[in-house]
Amino acid sequence: MTIKTINDLKNNGFTVLKSFISKKTIFDLIYGYEQNLDYCLNKFIKSKPLPNNIDKKYKLLNKLDKNLKSRSYDLSKFHPTLLRLATDKKVEKIINSIFKETFFVDYPQIRIDDNKNSFLLPMHQEIYGQMSKNLLTMWCPLTNVSKFNGTLNLIPGSHKNGKLKHQFYNIKGKKYHGIQKEFLENKKIVSLKLKAGDAVLFDPYLIHGSGKNNSNKIRWTFVSRYNAISGIDYLNRKKTKIRIKQN
Ligand SMILES: O=C(O)CCC(=O)C(=O)O
Ligand SMILES: [Fe+2]
């Protein structure tokens, strides 16, 4: 498995680990978020029962109080279930087998993508804003994903061109860092079709972004980043900030 993983990463810039996350872990992550939503919804709804699934709860909170929905989201990355998965023994083992050196865990998060498509990331390279040039991102769908209901879009092999020029794009009133359009010309974008619990590990220079969700179910995704110590300029250059600048 590790040889295939390493070859895939080298040749394609990403690798898929089938059924990497257990059903129990997925349940715990979603349930942790659901309790966060329940707490917020209970501020508004005292008498009637809450909706019977997490998608409905998220949408209801969004309708009742967008700001509170955003605040509950801000807190979600600190939930123990996310920190536990990000530092899971199995995850640590595979990252160790690739890096073979000390690394740091950063930015565990849950993504929530519904068909409003308000948070789609344009095609980008992960490297900007991270700590190490030797970086791996772990991207795990918690629901089944496809081109139809939104997924990770990527250009296989695109990591081989190294760091490419980015710019800021204004999308739905928000500023997003994305690759300059010229690098996407005549490139074939692949939309990964995966099952809940599969995991993708990818290279910091792989061009990737968000696929649109056209379904009425939310796409729930877990993401975390692993920074190998040898690629961290913060330890080598006095004037360098901890994160690689977005420019
Ligand atoms: O899940 C997605 O839509 C893309 C996630 C991504 O590229 C990121 O979080 O950096
Ligand atoms: Fe990304």
Side-chain angles (χ1 to χ4, degrees), residues 41-57:
L41 282 171
N42 276 326
K43 292 182 184 293
F44 300 93
I45 302 168
K46 295 255 152 54
S47 51
K48 4 181 239 216
L50 295 179
N52 61 4
N53 76 52
I54 189 168
D55 284 23
K56 287 185 194 157
K57 287 176 182 177

Side-chain angles (χ1 to χ4, degrees), residues 221-237:
T221 316
F222 171 84
V223 195
S224 58
R225 283 93 183 172
Y226 302 90
N227 293 265
I229 194 165
S230 64
I232 300 182
D233 278 349
Y234 191 60
L235 297 176
N236 299 324
R237 296 198 213 137

Side-chain angles (χ1 to χ4, degrees), residues 111 121 124 126 139 152 208 210 219 225:
R111 281 187 64 92
L121 297 180
H124 64 281
E126 202 76 347
W139 185 93
L152 189 67
H208 68 283
S210 309
R219 164 169 73 98
R225 283 93 183 172

Side-chain angles (χ1 to χ4, degrees):
M1 154 142 128
T2 307
I3 290 177
K4 180 177 168 3
T5 301
I6 287 170
N7 282 339
D8 281 354
L9 277 168
K10 201 167 108 192
N11 300 325
N12 304 326
F14 73 100
T15 187
V16 176
L17 309 166
K18 298 299 281 178
S19 307
F20 191 69
I21 313 288
S22 72
K23 293 228 158 32
K24 161 94 169 56
T25 300
I26 295 177
F27 177 88
D28 290 348
L29 280 167
I30 298 287
Y31 188 61
Y33 207 115
E34 196 163 349
Q35 286 177 313
N36 174 352
L37 290 171
D38 285 354
Y39 179 88
C40 296
L41 282 171
N42 276 326
K43 292 182 184 293
F44 300 93
I45 302 168
K46 295 255 152 54
S47 51
K48 4 181 239 216
L50 295 179
N52 61 4
N53 76 52
I54 189 168
D55 284 23
K56 287 185 194 157
K57 287 176 182 177
Y58 176 79
K59 286 175 188 173
L60 179 59
L61 183 60
N62 194 32
K63 207 161 88 185
L64 291 171
D65 189 337
K66 237 185 169 53
N67 188 46
L68 188 59
K69 180 237 28 181
S70 301
R71 288 181 172 211
S72 73
Y73 180 79
D74 294 342
L75 288 167
S76 69
K77 60 174 167 289
F78 304 108
H79 195 273
T81 52
L82 272 76
L83 302 175
R84 212 172 283 139
L85 174 55
T87 59
D88 183 273
K89 280 244 150 39
K90 203 167 141 187
V91 177
E92 188 174 9
K93 196 168 160 205
I94 193 143
I95 304 291
N96 260 330
S97 70
I98 299 167
F99 283 154
K100 301 187 175 71
E101 60 173 326
T102 297
F103 64 85
F104 303 98
V105 185
D106 198 21
Y107 282 144
Q109 68 178 113
I110 287 211
R111 281 187 64 92
I112 305 172
D113 294 278
D114 63 15
N115 59 11
K116 287 203 177 78
N117 292 302
S118 308
F119 307 102
L120 297 185
L121 297 180
M123 296 301 269
H124 64 281
Q125 294 179 309
E126 202 76 347
I127 187 74
Y128 295 95
Q130 309 296 335
M131 296 190 284
S132 177
K133 291 182 292 246
N134 301 335
L135 173 83
L136 279 170
T137 299
M138 183 171 80
W139 185 93
C140 311
L142 305 173
T143 45
N144 295 347
V145 292
S146 66
K147 193 174 167 130
F148 179 71
N149 70 353
T151 184
L152 189 67
N153 283 345
L154 50 81
I155 302 176
S158 56
H159 64 301
K160 289 181 181 156
N161 297 318
K163 201 170 175 183
L164 299 173
K165 269 221 157 86
H166 279 52
Q167 67 177 73
F168 285 100
Y169 292 94
N170 212 320
I171 305 170
K172 297 203 173 188
K174 288 189 250 352
K175 233 174 93 181
Y176 288 108
H177 202 231
I179 198 143
Q180 294 196 340
K181 289 273 183 286
E182 63 197 79
F183 298 116
L184 299 176
E185 279 164 23
N186 307 317
K187 296 286 182 333
K188 191 173 160 20
I189 296 176
V190 169
S191 302
L192 297 181
K193 184 171 167 54
L194 299 169
K195 288 256 160 48
D198 292 343
V200 182
L201 287 177
F202 66 85
D203 184 282
Y205 300 106
L206 183 78
I207 302 174
H208 68 283
S210 309
K212 231 179 178 176
N213 185 348
N214 300 295
S215 79
N216 48 25
K217 280 180 70 182
I218 291 175
R219 164 169 73 98
W220 294 87
T221 316
F222 171 84
V223 195
S224 58
R225 283 93 183 172
Y226 302 90
N227 293 265
I229 194 165
S230 64
I232 300 182
D233 278 349
Y234 191 60
L235 297 176
N236 299 324
R237 296 198 213 137
K238 264 205 174 129
K239 293 214 166 119
T240 301
K241 298 249 162 59
I242 194 162
R243 295 189 179 283
I244 296 164
K245 208 174 156 213
Q246 292 191 320
N247 56 13

